[in-house]
Amino acid sequence: MSSHVELRPGAYADSVTLLQVSRTVAGLPGVAAAQVAMATPLNIEVLEGMGFAVPAEAGVNDLVVAVRLDDPAALDAVLAGVDRALDDSSRRPTGAAEVAPHRTTAAALRDAGDALVLVSVPGPSAVVEAMDAVEAGRDVMVFSDHVPVEHEVALKRAAEAAGVLVMGPDCGTAIVDGVGLGFANVVSPGPVGIVAASGTGCQQLLALLDHAGVGVTSALGVGGRDLTAEVGGLATREALRRLDADDRVELIVVVSKPPAPEVATAIEEYAAGLATPVELALLGPGRPDLTAAAERVLRRLSRALPDLSPADPSETSRRVGGELLRGLFVGGTLAGEARQIAAETLGVVGSALADLHGEGHGVVDFGDDAYTSGRAHPMIDPTLRLEHLARAAADPHTGVILLDVVLGHGAEPDPAALLATALAEVSQPVVACVVGTAQDPQDLDRQVRLLAEAGAEVHLSNAGATRRALEILGAGR
């Protein structure tokens, strides 16, 4: 076994491309492990956690190629494979139909009819492209994270004046007239319209409604900061107005991370003036969880929430060795909901990475901006979560591990298979929530089965999974 680490100064590829290259290289003959990534501090931490010695001079503009080989003689062939994978990732199709890409959003809009615009560029640059769309009178979804809040406010004020909708920034999920954007679950059309200042909160709601046979016309993401005091619900009001004008929508649901109290009050007053009834699913202390909110929605539609309990929750045979809850999430709202529920019983539950390996309980969102700089979102690249899952499992103080698995277009094609391999090394009880629908491309039933076969107790409700984890820990009420 030998390791090889090299820096390639000035070379650059985006995080999703490098994830694909890493997987290609990891599959080459003679390779035991491989990581090809930009040398951001977070990626260096991951590489060092994998046992690679990264040169001290590595900087954010350097590409790191790190491989561990079963056979040292395979090095030249493996490095040739790295070059080939990088070349293939940057090669564009050729042929008579090839056209030069547009260099700006404004130029693209001149050829794009009345299409909605989706912006996915590094956060500090996103406002320029999105403003082009707003000034052209187009709705825009800003997928980018790391967008300064002052850019968001300026963009949404311009959109308000222009009568267009800005979804985002950091809008990961939307369904517009049945078309999914970003991390979108596959749902049937139906009487519900959703306004979501929360990506995975929206996905949990979509999934729970789908399990009950209730469809959704549109789910308009507005970005996780829209109901903060700084932004003031600018996009939420426009999204509500649009869904209220849609004759197909019988009930609107607003789902959000904990909002600023004064903004929540203002949105509630605005909603009360609409012709379409509005149900508020706003997370926060003393407020109902997402599953309870889904139950309220279904009651208003005279539908019942289906049984979401696992087939046999008593089958977990793993021993609770420690006393601490460790939650490792890819969904920010799901992590926040779990933390809120757990804190009602356990008291303080930390949210920082250090809390995951400290002396108290910890529930971490690996999709937080702090962990996605220079890396793909953990719903695409699970490397960072898997590394910390192994560390948490090795900690004798860990009592129960809580996970989420989020399905849908845009997400990892087989997340349960990747987790199942890691769970084989875990001795503690594991409770997992799978958020997805029967029509999602990952095959919901197969994902549940793989996790169950790997020893996890699987739920379809995040709130239910969290309460079950507390019960196993001996802290449930």
Side-chain angles (χ1 to χ4, degrees):
M1 187 80 72
S2 65
S3 294
H4 174 83
V5 179
E6 68 179 47
L7 299 182
R8 298 187 178 187
Y12 173 80
D14 66 78
S15 55
V16 174
T17 295
L18 292 176
L19 170 65
Q20 294 167 341
V21 169
S22 294
R23 289 178 176 173
T24 299
V25 175
L28 294 175
V31 176
Q35 184 81 346
V36 182
M38 300 306 296
T40 63
L42 184 62
N43 286 338
I44 291 175
E45 180 182 326
V46 171
L47 286 159
E48 291 177 342
M50 296 172 68
F52 291 111
V54 181
E57 67 270 24
V60 295
N61 294 319
D62 299 331
L63 182 72
V64 184
V65 176
V67 292
R68 182 168 298 117
L69 305 171
D70 294 322
D71 178 8
L75 178 60
D76 289 344
V78 169
L79 292 180
V82 172
D83 293 337
R84 190 165 55 249
L86 287 168
D87 288 344
D88 289 347
S89 69
S90 61
R91 184 173 295 125
R92 292 190 289 117
T94 57
E98 182 182 13
V99 296
H102 297 92
R103 299 181 66 85
T104 68
T105 300
L109 287 171
R110 287 194 286 271
D111 294 334
D114 58 355
L116 179 150
V117 176
L118 195 156
V119 173
S120 181
V121 298
S125 304
V127 68
V128 176
E129 306 304 328
M131 196 65 85
D132 274 353
V134 169
E135 290 176 350
R138 310 296 178 87
D139 293 339
V140 56
M141 173 178 174
V142 183
F143 188 80
S144 313
D145 55 9
H146 300 277
V147 176
V149 68
E150 59 270 24
H151 288 186
E152 178 174 354
V153 172
L155 185 62
K156 288 184 172 177
R157 284 179 177 164
E160 183 180 40
V164 300
L165 175 65
V166 172
M167 295 183 283
D170 201 10
C171 179
T173 298
I175 297 174
V176 180
D177 290 331
V179 178
L181 303 170
F183 299 118
N185 299 98
V186 182
V187 297
S188 300
V192 176
I194 297 175
V195 180
S198 152
T200 51
C202 178
Q203 290 191 266
Q204 172 75 102
L205 192 57
L206 288 168
L208 293 174
L209 295 180
D210 185 80
H211 298 324
V214 173
V216 172
T217 299
S218 291
L220 304 179
V222 293
R225 295 187 305 215
D226 195 69
L227 294 185
T228 61
E230 292 90 341
V231 185
L234 288 168
T236 296
R237 274 189 283 272
E238 175 62 17
L240 281 168
R241 186 191 66 77
R242 291 183 178 219
L243 293 178
D244 185 47
D246 189 334
D247 292 338
R248 300 167 296 177
V249 177
E250 299 175 16
L251 177 65
I252 301 171
V253 186
V254 179
V255 57
S256 173
K257 298 174 182 177
E262 67 275 20
V263 180
T265 300
I267 292 299
E268 189 171 7
E269 292 171 353
Y270 182 84
L274 300 178
T276 310
V278 177
E279 186 73 48
L280 299 177
L282 310 178
L283 289 175
R287 297 179 184 273
D289 58 55
L290 294 171
T291 302
E295 288 175 332
R296 288 205 313 266
V297 171
L298 292 169
R299 278 197 296 272
R300 293 184 72 155
L301 296 170
S302 300
R303 304 289 287 270
L305 189 70
D307 182 9
L308 301 174
S309 58
D312 187 357
S314 66
E315 283 193 351
T316 181
S317 58
R318 294 175 172 175
R319 187 174 63 85
V320 180
E323 70 283 6
L324 299 177
L325 175 69
R326 308 296 199 190
L328 298 91
F329 281 72
V330 298
T333 301
L334 299 176
E337 182 186 48
R339 200 177 302 118
Q340 176 185 317
I341 292 171
E344 292 171 358
T345 301
L346 300 175
V348 176
V349 178
S351 61
L353 204 53
D355 297 315
L356 200 58
H357 309 293
E359 298 179 350
H361 306 284
V363 175
V364 171
D365 166 26
F366 283 89
D368 186 272
D369 282 6
Y371 311 124
T372 58
S373 178
R375 299 191 61 83
H377 192 279
M379 283 166 59
I380 301 171
D381 178 3
T383 306
L384 190 62
R385 178 164 79 159
L386 292 175
E387 180 202 343
H388 285 276
L389 172 61
R391 286 182 58 187
D395 184 345
H397 296 290
T398 297
V400 176
I401 291 174
L402 182 62
L403 304 168
D404 63 344
V405 178
V406 184
L407 311 183
H409 287 300
E412 156 66 37
D414 198 357
L418 294 175
L419 267 176
T421 302
L423 294 183
E425 306 299 322
V426 175
S427 60
Q428 296 91 345
V430 176
V431 182
C433 171
V434 177
V435 176
T437 73
Q439 302 177 76
D440 282 334
Q442 292 89 351
D443 188 342
L444 174 63
D445 289 344
R446 179 175 177 275
Q447 297 297 309
V448 170
R449 186 176 68 254
L450 286 176
L451 291 168
E453 290 173 352
E457 183 177 304
V458 186
H459 294 246
L460 300 178
S461 156
N462 184 55
T466 303
R467 293 193 172 93
R468 175 60 177 157
L470 295 172
E471 181 181 298
I472 294 173
L473 196 62
R477 293 188 298 184

